[in-house]
Protein backbone atom coordinates (compact mmCIF):
# COMPACT_ATOMS: atom_id res chain seq x y z
CA UNK A 1 0.00 0.00 0.00
CA UNK A 2 1.17 3.46 -0.69
CA UNK A 3 1.05 6.31 1.80
CA UNK A 4 -2.00 7.87 0.15
CA UNK A 5 -4.10 4.69 0.63
CA UNK A 6 -2.94 4.39 4.23
CA UNK A 7 -3.89 8.04 4.95
CA UNK A 8 -7.31 7.58 3.30
CA UNK A 9 -7.96 4.42 5.28
CA UNK A 10 -7.00 6.17 8.54
CA UNK A 11 -9.37 9.07 7.79
CA UNK A 12 -12.24 6.69 7.00
CA UNK A 13 -11.61 4.72 10.19
CA UNK A 14 -11.72 7.93 12.26
CA UNK A 15 -14.86 9.11 10.46
CA UNK A 16 -16.55 5.76 11.11
CA UNK A 17 -15.56 5.86 14.80
CA UNK A 18 -16.90 9.43 15.12
CA UNK A 19 -20.23 8.59 13.49
CA UNK A 20 -20.58 5.47 15.63
CA UNK A 21 -19.89 7.48 18.78
CA UNK A 22 -22.48 10.10 17.81
CA UNK A 23 -25.15 7.44 17.26
CA UNK A 24 -24.39 5.97 20.67
CA UNK A 25 -25.25 9.32 22.33
CA UNK A 26 -28.34 10.21 20.30
CA UNK A 27 -30.84 8.45 22.64
CA UNK A 28 -29.56 10.28 25.72
CA UNK A 29 -29.51 13.61 23.86
CA UNK A 30 -33.11 13.06 22.75
CA UNK A 31 -34.16 12.55 26.37
CA UNK A 32 -35.00 8.87 26.60
CA UNK A 33 -33.23 5.74 27.63
CA UNK A 34 -32.98 2.71 25.41
CA UNK A 35 -33.13 0.40 28.42
CA UNK A 36 -34.21 0.92 31.99
CA UNK A 37 -32.98 -1.39 34.72
CA UNK A 38 -35.74 -2.40 37.11
CA UNK A 39 -34.52 -3.77 40.42
CA UNK A 40 -35.24 -3.84 44.14
CA UNK A 41 -34.06 -0.23 44.52
CA UNK A 42 -37.11 0.78 42.47
CA UNK A 43 -39.57 -1.42 44.37
CA UNK A 44 -39.21 -4.83 42.73
CA UNK A 45 -39.51 -7.34 45.60
CA UNK A 46 -36.53 -9.40 44.41
CA UNK A 47 -33.92 -8.99 41.67
CA UNK A 48 -34.51 -12.55 40.48
CA UNK A 49 -37.55 -12.57 38.21
CA UNK A 50 -38.82 -16.07 37.40
CA UNK A 51 -41.59 -15.12 34.96
CA UNK A 52 -43.08 -12.10 33.21
CA UNK A 53 -46.52 -11.61 31.62
CA UNK A 54 -48.49 -8.63 30.31
CA UNK A 55 -52.22 -8.21 30.93
CA UNK A 56 -54.83 -6.77 28.55
CA UNK A 57 -54.43 -3.30 30.11
CA UNK A 58 -50.69 -3.31 29.39
CA UNK A 59 -49.55 -3.86 32.99
CA UNK A 60 -46.57 -6.14 33.56
CA UNK A 61 -46.82 -8.99 36.10
CA UNK A 62 -43.56 -10.44 37.43
CA UNK A 63 -43.12 -13.50 39.59
CA UNK A 64 -40.10 -13.36 41.88
CA UNK A 65 -38.67 -15.37 44.78
CA UNK A 66 -40.16 -12.75 47.08
CA UNK A 67 -43.69 -12.23 45.75
CA UNK A 68 -45.85 -11.40 42.77
CA UNK A 69 -45.37 -7.90 41.41
CA UNK A 70 -47.46 -5.57 39.24
CA UNK A 71 -45.60 -2.87 37.28
CA UNK A 72 -47.51 -0.04 35.60
CA UNK A 73 -44.48 1.50 33.89
CA UNK A 74 -43.75 3.80 36.82
CA UNK A 75 -44.31 2.02 40.13
CA UNK A 76 -44.45 -1.49 41.57
CA UNK A 77 -47.22 -3.06 43.63
CA UNK A 78 -46.03 -6.18 45.45
CA UNK A 79 -48.24 -9.05 46.56
CA UNK A 80 -46.69 -11.10 49.37
CA UNK A 81 -47.90 -13.73 51.80
CA UNK A 82 -49.36 -12.28 54.98
CA UNK A 83 -50.16 -14.96 57.61
CA UNK A 84 -52.79 -12.67 59.15
CA UNK A 85 -54.65 -12.26 55.83
CA UNK A 86 -56.25 -15.41 54.37
CA UNK A 87 -56.88 -13.61 51.07
CA UNK A 88 -53.15 -12.93 50.54
CA UNK A 89 -51.07 -15.10 48.24
CA UNK A 90 -50.16 -18.43 49.85
CA UNK A 91 -46.42 -18.29 49.08
CA UNK A 92 -43.91 -15.66 47.98
CA UNK A 93 -41.93 -17.94 45.64
CA UNK A 94 -43.64 -17.49 42.27
CA UNK A 95 -42.61 -20.00 39.59
CA UNK A 96 -44.97 -19.15 36.71
CA UNK A 97 -47.83 -16.80 35.88
CA UNK A 98 -50.70 -16.93 33.42
CA UNK A 99 -52.64 -13.71 32.83
CA UNK A 100 -56.25 -13.90 31.67
CA UNK A 101 -58.73 -11.13 30.99
CA UNK A 102 -60.15 -11.51 34.51
CA UNK A 103 -57.11 -12.25 36.65
CA UNK A 104 -53.70 -13.83 37.13
CA UNK A 105 -52.89 -17.45 37.91
CA UNK A 106 -49.68 -17.88 39.90
CA UNK A 107 -47.85 -21.16 40.39
CA UNK A 108 -46.18 -20.95 43.80
CA UNK A 109 -44.09 -23.33 45.85
CA UNK A 110 -47.23 -24.22 47.86
CA UNK A 111 -49.83 -24.51 45.12
CA UNK A 112 -51.81 -22.67 42.47
CA UNK A 113 -53.29 -19.25 43.26
CA UNK A 114 -55.70 -17.01 41.34
CA UNK A 115 -55.77 -13.22 41.72
CA UNK A 116 -59.12 -11.74 40.69
CA UNK A 117 -58.93 -8.27 39.13
CA UNK A 118 -62.57 -7.61 40.04
CA UNK A 119 -62.25 -8.63 43.70
CA UNK A 120 -58.64 -7.58 44.27
CA UNK A 121 -57.79 -10.72 46.21
CA UNK A 122 -56.26 -14.18 45.87
CA UNK A 123 -58.12 -17.49 45.79
CA UNK A 124 -56.65 -20.95 46.38
CA UNK A 125 -57.13 -23.28 43.44
CA UNK A 126 -58.01 -26.75 44.70
CA UNK A 127 -58.93 -30.11 43.26
CA UNK A 128 -62.54 -31.27 43.44
CA UNK A 129 -61.69 -32.88 46.80
CA UNK A 130 -60.47 -29.63 48.33
CA UNK A 131 -56.76 -30.44 48.06
CA UNK A 132 -54.54 -27.67 46.67
CA UNK A 133 -52.97 -28.08 43.26
CA UNK A 134 -49.25 -28.66 43.81
CA UNK A 135 -46.46 -27.55 41.54
CA UNK A 136 -43.91 -30.11 40.36
CA UNK A 137 -41.35 -27.34 39.66
Amino acid sequence: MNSRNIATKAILNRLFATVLTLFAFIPSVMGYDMFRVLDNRMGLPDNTVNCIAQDHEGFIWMGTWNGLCLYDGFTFISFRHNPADPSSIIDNNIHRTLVTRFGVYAVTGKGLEYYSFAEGRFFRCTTGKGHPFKSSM
Side-chain angles (χ1 to χ4, degrees):
M1 285 182 131
N2 63 29
S3 62
R4 185 175 187 160
N5 286 343
I6 293 172
T8 302
K9 188 172 182 177
I11 290 171
L12 288 176
N13 283 341
R14 285 186 182 192
L15 180 62
F16 177 72
T18 302
V19 170
L20 189 62
T21 302
L22 287 175
F23 278 114
F25 288 105
I26 285 177
S28 61
V29 171
M30 293 176 66
Y32 64 90
D33 297 325
M34 295 294 288
F35 299 98
R36 184 181 314 159
V37 174
L38 304 174
D39 59 20
N40 61 356
R41 293 173 294 180
M42 297 180 67
L44 189 64
D46 193 280
N47 285 337
T48 301
V49 175
N50 298 324
C51 52
I52 299 175
Q54 185 173 19
D55 68 21
H56 68 282
E57 297 287 333
F59 298 120
I60 304 296
W61 292 83
M62 294 178 246
T64 73
W65 287 355
N66 195 21
L68 182 65
C69 186
L70 170 65
Y71 182 63
D72 66 4
F74 301 100
T75 58
F76 289 99
I77 298 172
S78 296
F79 300 92
R80 293 189 182 114
H81 176 63
N82 178 355
D85 182 3
S87 68
S88 73
I89 195 163
I90 196 170
D91 187 31
N92 290 333
N93 189 359
I94 311 300
H95 298 281
R96 300 280 186 271
T97 56
L98 172 67
V99 177
T100 69
R101 187 157 191 77
F102 304 105
V104 178
Y105 288 94
V107 177
T108 74
K110 294 184 179 176
L112 182 64
E113 294 278 297
Y114 176 73
Y115 179 79
S116 168
F117 294 148
E119 297 188 44
R121 66 179 293 259
F122 286 91
F123 295 91
R124 311 284 185 272
C125 297
T126 60
T127 65
K129 297 179 181 179
H131 301 292
F133 284 105
K134 292 291 184 175
S135 169
S136 62
M137 295 181 180

